[in-house]
Amino acid sequence: MKKFLLFALLVLSLPVGAEKLPDNIYFRAMQDEMKRTVKELRTKEKDGQKPFYVVYKLTTDLGRYSVSASMGSPLRAFFFGNFVSANVLVDVGSRQHDSLGFERPNNWWESYAPTNTNIMPNGYDGIRQSLWEATNAEFVKVNEVYKEKQAYKRKKNLLNEKTPDFAPAAQASYVEEIKPWPAPDMQVWQDVVNNLSAQGKDLPYVEKLEVEAQFYQTGTYYLNSDGGFYQTFYPTGSIFWTAVLRTKDGYKDTESAFLPLSSWNVADNEKRLQEKTDKFLAKIKQHYQAQKGTAYLGPVLFTKEAASDFMGLLIRGVEKNKPLLSSAYEDDPEAGELRNKVGMRVISPVVDVYDRPHLREFKGRRLPNFAPVDDEGVASQDLTLVSGGKLVQLPSSRRSVKKGEKSNGHAFFRYAYPREMLTTAVVEPKNPLSQKELEEKLLSRCKELELDYCYIVPNMRGKDAMVERIYTADGHKEPVTGLEVSNLTTRALRDILAAGDDSDLYSNVIVPSLLVDEIELLPSDRRPDRKPFIARP
């Protein structure tokens, strides 16, 4: 029943085929410039290569709004929009031997990334002009990369490999209507953040409490020369709290919190905002009383936000699983370390893990990584990453598949050329426990290990974050600061003992609280300031 309730909160959206490109200035400009590029773009050098594959991905900023306040006073406000950013990818050579998948050595100013440009004004002529300039620059760059890559492949005897550098793939399309939301009433939101931040004045040890309201919405337009395209719309809004406080022992620490909004209307959020502020202030009161922690090794209960960071071990382990070639290194340092462990046990069987590119919403919130089509034009597939503790699937791209295999549609621009990435990971507990049951199991395990206490960790934000020490004898809790989760490796994934029934979304991972059998917490070497402190005016 609990498993059903989790997936009742997930809104699925399946790919919709589109018979033709949407008729708007973005696709017209991309299509026209793409035709010029493929037909006319050439180098003067005899050994220069022609472009055989081109990608444009435009993101339009349809309005970005922000207001903030500190201790009741307005701090900053801004609004901007009506501009476009573009990723421009040009590939030269052939599908068998192309220019990508190779990182140039000693070029610290040039990462493995497409040419990016910001376009203003937002109109056909402005978009076309900027695409023309960026495409020319990208074309010159990749021709140089192509020569270096082919020289490297000759040196390593890779030119006779049968697997192509860039495999052919059936192309897909998805189009949703882009209908911008009405602008939020920023004067009303300014009053809200003024009021919320003013409540920090009630706590004398709070030196600063800032509250910020952020709203933005974007439209994304993707087109490649193989025929793949998509158009998506993403609106979002959030409130952020940041506090600077002085603990009773003189440490200057910070606390932060955020609340995602499914509506930009103040009236729809007032109750939740005050409840969140009350909880945040209560946490600050606890933090003020916190004692400095000492080194610890033993069971830890990661609540949801910390659990998402912990599951990053798995996510990073399976992403970027096609290593880049480079004469600067033998092993790509960013390639996922679990890429060769399909069929092996990589995590505790307490949870299964999936990737859901077609999830549109979770608990009424739009998901940023909704992706029915990937950035190589391939229809994205749901993945079963882990089942029964064993690694079952990896995200794949047109670069990572072997001859005869097909991409599962998980290549995405993430500040780089498209590589194998996840979208929205879902960690599904097989036997979810309540928070009370998790704490009881934590205490039971600590008693087995003859520990006086163990820890509950809410986040992994550094050594000034607060954790809770829970005592084995009677279960009472004390706030502790100055500890940081240390020396985490993928081995720790196999130590998950139990999972909660409280799944939520953090950092594109839908995850419950997780009880892990052995985690190391190490203290910082910082020292408190000398008393007396200068009181806040």
Coordinates of all heavy atoms in Angstrom, one line a residue, residues 55 83 86 89 131 146 174 202 252 291 452:
V55 N 23.7 20.0 -34.0 CA 22.6 20.1 -32.9 C 22.6 21.6 -32.4 O 23.6 22.2 -32.2 CB 23.0 19.2 -31.7 CG1 21.9 19.4 -30.6 CG2 23.0 17.8 -32.1
F83 N 15.5 36.7 -23.3 CA 16.8 36.4 -24.0 C 16.9 34.9 -24.1 O 16.1 34.1 -23.6 CB 18.0 36.9 -23.2 CG 18.4 36.1 -22.0 CD1 19.3 35.1 -22.0 CD2 17.8 36.4 -20.7 CE1 19.6 34.3 -20.9 CE2 18.1 35.7 -19.6 CZ 19.0 34.6 -19.7
A86 N 22.0 29.4 -26.1 CA 22.1 28.3 -27.1 C 23.3 27.5 -26.9 O 24.4 28.0 -26.7 CB 22.1 28.9 -28.5
L89 N 26.4 22.4 -31.2 CA 27.3 21.2 -31.4 C 27.4 20.9 -32.9 O 26.4 20.8 -33.6 CB 26.7 20.0 -30.7 CG 27.4 18.6 -30.8 CD1 26.9 17.8 -29.6 CD2 27.2 17.9 -32.1
L131 N 23.5 32.2 -33.9 CA 23.8 30.8 -34.3 C 24.8 30.7 -35.4 O 25.7 29.8 -35.4 CB 22.5 30.1 -34.8 CG 21.4 29.8 -33.7 CD1 20.2 29.2 -34.4 CD2 22.0 28.9 -32.7
Y146 N 39.3 17.0 -34.3 CA 39.3 15.8 -35.1 C 40.7 15.3 -35.4 O 41.0 14.1 -35.3 CB 38.5 16.1 -36.4 CG 38.5 14.9 -37.4 CD1 37.6 13.9 -37.3 CD2 39.4 14.9 -38.4 CE1 37.6 12.8 -38.1 CE2 39.4 13.8 -39.3 CZ 38.5 12.8 -39.2 OH 38.5 11.7 -40.0
Y174 N 9.0 15.3 -29.5 CA 8.0 15.6 -28.5 C 7.8 17.1 -28.5 O 8.7 17.9 -28.5 CB 8.5 15.2 -27.1 CG 7.5 15.5 -26.0 CD1 6.5 14.6 -25.6 CD2 7.7 16.7 -25.3 CE1 5.6 15.0 -24.6 CE2 6.8 17.0 -24.2 CZ 5.8 16.1 -23.9 OH 4.9 16.5 -22.9
D202 N 13.7 38.0 16.7 CA 13.2 37.5 18.0 C 14.3 36.6 18.6 O 14.1 36.3 19.8 CB 11.9 36.7 17.8 CG 10.8 37.5 17.3 OD1 10.8 38.8 17.5 OD2 9.9 37.0 16.6
K252 N 30.5 30.6 14.6 CA 29.6 31.3 13.7 C 29.2 30.3 12.6 O 30.0 29.9 11.8 CB 30.4 32.5 13.1 CG 29.5 33.4 12.3 CD 30.3 34.7 11.9 CE 29.3 35.7 11.2 NZ 30.1 36.9 10.8
Q291 N 26.5 21.3 20.8 CA 27.9 21.1 21.3 C 28.7 20.6 20.1 O 28.2 20.1 19.1 CB 27.9 20.1 22.4 CG 27.3 18.7 22.1 CD 27.3 17.8 23.2 OE1 28.4 17.4 23.7 NE2 26.1 17.4 23.7
D452 N 27.3 4.1 22.9 CA 26.5 5.0 23.8 C 25.5 5.8 23.0 O 24.5 6.2 23.6 CB 27.4 5.9 24.6 CG 28.3 5.1 25.6 OD1 27.9 4.0 26.0 OD2 29.4 5.6 25.9

